Amino acid sequence: MSLTTESATVGFIGIGVMGKSMARHLMDGGYKVHVYTRTAEKAAELVSQGALWEDSVSSLAAKCNVVFTIVGFPPDVEEVYLGEGGLLKNMQSGGYVVDMTTSRPDLAARIFDEAQKAGISALDAPVSGGDVGAREARLSIMVGGEKEVFDKVLPLFELMGKNIVYQGKAGAGQHTKMCNQIAIAAGMMGVCESLAYAKKAGLDPVTVLKSIESGAAGSWSLSNLAPRIIKDDFAPGFFVKHFIKDMTIAIESADAMSLEVPGLKLARQLYEKVAAEGGSESGTQALFKLYT
Amino acid sequence: MSLTTESATVGFIGIGVMGKSMARHLMDGGYKVHVYTRTAEKAAELVSQGALWEDSVSSLAAKCNVVFTIVGFPPDVEEVYLGEGGLLKNMQSGGYVVDMTTSRPDLAARIFDEAQKAGISALDAPVSGGDVGAREARLSIMVGGEKEVFDKVLPLFELMGKNIVYQGKAGAGQHTKMCNQIAIAAGMMGVCESLAYAKKAGLDPVTVLKSIESGAAGSWSLSNLAPRIIKDDFAPGFFVKHFIKDMTIAIESADAMSLEVPGLKLARQLYEKVAAEGGSESGTQALFKLYT
């Protein structure tokens, strides 16, 4: 049986630009939602709308039987789940934990194992779709863990996303997200080099897009980020610093599997240069600046 | 005034998999079409349908006032246009020549200049869309040269393509095609590395595509070539050997403009490895094999 508004007391940890919208959709779906985030004022708006503030992960854990997390980096995930004051040490057995942070697949597998020992069901469920996807409840959610657990949590995922796919055992959600980021990474070099070439050759980039974006060179990045580049708009969207985090996880994970990923490695190297030149807080389209 | 079936006697040089369909669309549009191609039997079908066979470029040139070419490599273009028996030395002044080969932008500019001296109007008009696009008259045609000449030839382009865009002065069509190939090149590394990662991680690649192809990782290559890779289908599509030719032109052209294109250079290096391992005649999706 699925979780319902009667059977679930929901916790949400990590009220950033993504988490805020996602938690609100759960509230709008009729769930009682307890919230915790490191910087309390980020949760103020949600609390004014009826979310219940908790002072710590452990107090939230004690009150909730379904907890979603979307925090920053893998060490944050590790602390929230496996720390002394973390979820697994402080939740009742029989509960559910769902990490929606983009994080390490091997950490997701480790959390799954530790959760199981505590009688808790864990899913890894990173998302794509960005702040707009979160706001409009149109996220793509890629889920790893046990299929029965996925089925139980599905009604809650459906409040947050549209394209919700069970990908396999623990870690499979994170691995799928890595596939997503890997496809984007090298693709961004293609988009930026193509536009830089157009400018250098004296072409009008807008007219070039008319010729190329609907054919074999077409991509989400070309249609959505190239127009921003042309307008000198380097605002995030998706932060360079977060993309570097994701690429680093993907590279470490590929290395661990003895998979060569030269395109991904080159892309990370270029993005690290973007960051070194002050672009960490820019959108990923800022890669273009390296070429000019 | 545009060229009409009365005012134009059309020549078509290069009856390969692309040229055959393109010439036939011109014939279907009511134009009388003279054809020449190096291997005569490739033109037999068109001739049986009413095309007029010519034994050489020069005899075709003497009879036609609008000549389209789509041949193999830049040296072929050079010979067909600038050789002793070539178009510019053998056509009447007042004629039109249109090179639809993917070729060097600087060669296109040189042909334009030489044509002008002979009183001939030249366009560079490479295409994308492949054999299917050619067959269905849905090619994207990227055109460089004089705008008035483009306008005159447009009715003939419209018989062959759908997305026909004037990109600027001589060479601009070729430069635009380079932008197209550059965007594809690095993108193909992304697609292949993403799929290779999925397989290594034990994911089902078809299920991974469900999660990622409609979002920010989405691309024509991911939607059209990844499914072929998954089915072990490495047939062309677009030949590795031709893609290497195009990337080489793009790199030389970028070098000449002092533009760094590390993603493109890495992609060519990998594709040269694919060719060295016997994959020249495969489709571009054969890049995947390097990763496994």
Side-chain angles (χ1 to χ4, degrees), chain A residues 31-288:
Chain A
Y31 290 91
K32 189 194 281 192
V33 179
H34 298 246
V35 296
Y36 169 77
T37 200
R38 222 148 39 182
T39 312
E41 56 261 40
K42 288 193 181 169
E45 192 186 330
L46 278 184
V47 170
S48 77
Q49 294 163 340
L52 304 159
W53 174 254
E54 299 295 339
D55 276 324
S56 65
V57 171
S58 59
S59 71
L60 181 146
K63 293 177 193 161
C64 300
N65 62 350
V66 189
V67 179
F68 296 89
T69 56
I70 184 159
V71 297
F73 292 80
D76 304 312
V77 172
E78 201 168 341
E79 193 194 332
V80 165
Y81 278 84
L82 304 173
E84 270 313 307
L87 289 172
L88 300 188
K89 292 230 160 67
N90 294 280
M91 266 178 91
Q92 303 273 332
S93 94
Y96 299 82
V97 291
V98 184
D99 185 28
M100 305 185 83
T101 317
T102 295
S103 172
R104 302 172 58 100
D106 58 350
L107 177 57
R110 195 170 135 222
I111 288 171
F112 177 89
D113 290 342
E114 293 297 321
Q116 204 164 41
K117 287 180 204 159
I120 294 167
S121 299
L123 297 174
D124 51 296
V127 302
S128 79
D131 52 341
V132 176
R135 201 159 57 234
E136 298 175 354
R138 293 162 49 82
L139 293 169
S140 170
I141 309 179
M142 313 157 211
V143 189
E146 289 174 315
K147 179 65 166 64
E148 314 81 74
V149 174
F150 169 79
D151 290 336
K152 282 188 181 148
V153 178
L154 186 56
L156 287 86
F157 284 143
E158 285 171 338
L159 294 170
M160 298 184 271
K162 282 270 174 274
N163 185 28
I164 302 150
V165 182
Y166 176 73
Q167 290 288 351
K169 68 180 184 181
Q174 296 298 350
H175 276 311
T176 302
K177 180 68 188 277
M178 292 303 117
C179 292
N180 191 73
Q181 303 307 72
I182 292 168
I184 293 172
M188 282 304 295
M189 297 191 292
V191 167
C192 293
E193 292 181 9
S194 177
L195 273 184
Y197 182 104
K199 284 199 157 187
K200 269 278 194 188
L203 303 173
D204 172 32
V206 173
T207 309
V208 170
L209 286 184
K210 270 187 211 151
S211 277
I212 75 174
E213 78 171 326
S214 60
S219 67
W220 187 96
S221 298
L222 192 69
S223 293
N224 290 276
L225 299 181
R228 295 192 203 176
I229 292 170
I230 292 168
K231 285 182 221 143
D232 266 333
D233 170 6
F234 298 103
F238 187 55
F239 284 102
V240 164
K241 65 182 176 186
H242 292 148
F243 196 34
I244 291 174
K245 172 197 88 167
D246 294 356
M247 287 189 283
T248 301
I249 294 170
I251 288 169
E252 288 172 0
S253 185
D255 283 348
M257 301 188 293
S258 302
L259 175 71
E260 305 261 3
V261 283
L264 176 61
K265 285 184 175 176
L266 176 60
R268 182 179 61 166
Q269 190 184 317
L270 296 178
Y271 270 103
E272 277 173 346
K273 216 166 156 189
V274 174
E277 292 175 8
S280 292
E281 308 284 330
S282 296
T284 53
Q285 71 273 25
L287 176 64
F288 178 75

Side-chain angles (χ1 to χ4, degrees), chain B:
Chain B
M1 233 184 55
S2 293
L3 292 164
T4 64
T5 50
E6 285 77 44
S7 64
T9 303
V10 174
F12 206 106
I13 294 173
I15 309 298
V17 66
M18 301 291 291
K20 188 172 155 182
S21 295
M22 293 158 77
R24 186 181 294 119
H25 293 311
L26 293 169
M27 291 162 62
D28 290 347
Y31 289 91
K32 189 194 280 194
V33 179
H34 297 247
V35 296
Y36 170 77
T37 200
R38 223 148 39 185
T39 313
E41 56 262 39
K42 289 192 181 171
E45 193 186 328
L46 278 184
V47 169
S48 78
Q49 293 164 342
L52 303 159
W53 173 253
E54 300 296 338
D55 275 324
S56 64
V57 170
S58 59
S59 72
L60 181 145
K63 293 179 193 159
C64 300
N65 63 350
V66 189
V67 179
F68 296 90
T69 56
I70 184 160
V71 297
F73 292 80
D76 304 312
V77 172
E78 202 168 341
E79 194 195 331
V80 165
Y81 278 83
L82 304 174
E84 270 313 307
L87 289 172
L88 299 189
K89 291 230 162 65
N90 295 280
M91 264 178 92
Q92 302 274 332
S93 96
Y96 298 83
V97 290
V98 184
D99 185 26
M100 305 186 81
T101 317
T102 295
S103 173
R104 302 172 58 100
D106 58 350
L107 177 56
R110 195 171 134 220
I111 288 170
F112 177 89
D113 290 342
E114 294 297 322
Q116 204 164 39
K117 287 180 204 159
I120 294 168
S121 300
L123 296 174
D124 51 296
V127 301
S128 80
D131 53 340
V132 177
R135 202 158 55 234
E136 297 177 354
R138 292 163 47 83
L139 293 170
S140 171
I141 309 180
M142 312 155 212
V143 189
E146 289 176 314
K147 179 67 166 58
E148 314 82 73
V149 175
F150 169 79
D151 290 336
K152 281 188 182 147
V153 179
L154 187 56
L156 287 84
F157 284 143
E158 285 172 341
L159 294 170
M160 299 184 270
K162 282 269 174 278
N163 186 28
I164 301 150
V165 183
Y166 176 72
Q167 289 289 350
K169 66 177 186 184
Q174 296 298 350
H175 276 312
T176 302
K177 180 68 188 280
M178 291 304 116
C179 292
N180 191 73
Q181 303 308 71
I182 292 168
I184 293 172
M188 282 302 296
M189 296 191 292
V191 167
C192 292
E193 292 181 9
S194 178
L195 272 184
Y197 182 105
K199 283 199 156 183
K200 269 278 192 186
L203 302 173
D204 173 32
V206 173
T207 310
V208 170
L209 285 184
K210 272 187 209 151
S211 277
I212 74 173
E213 77 171 327
S214 58
S219 67
W220 187 95
S221 298
L222 192 68
S223 293
N224 290 277
L225 299 181
R228 296 192 202 173
I229 293 170
I230 292 168
K231 284 182 220 143
D232 266 332
D233 171 7
F234 298 104
F238 187 56
F239 284 101
V240 164
K241 64 181 177 185
H242 292 148
F243 196 34
I244 291 173
K245 172 197 84 164
D246 294 357
M247 288 188 284
T248 301
I249 294 170
I251 288 169
E252 289 172 359
S253 186
D255 284 348
M257 302 188 292
S258 302
L259 175 71
E260 304 260 5
V261 284
L264 175 61
K265 285 184 175 176
L266 176 60
R268 182 179 62 167
Q269 191 184 315
L270 296 177
Y271 270 103
E272 275 173 347
K273 215 164 156 188
V274 174
E277 291 175 8
S280 292
E281 308 284 329
S282 296
T284 53
Q285 71 273 23
L287 177 63
F288 178 76
K289 291 183 180 175
L290 278 195
Y291 291 97
T292 52

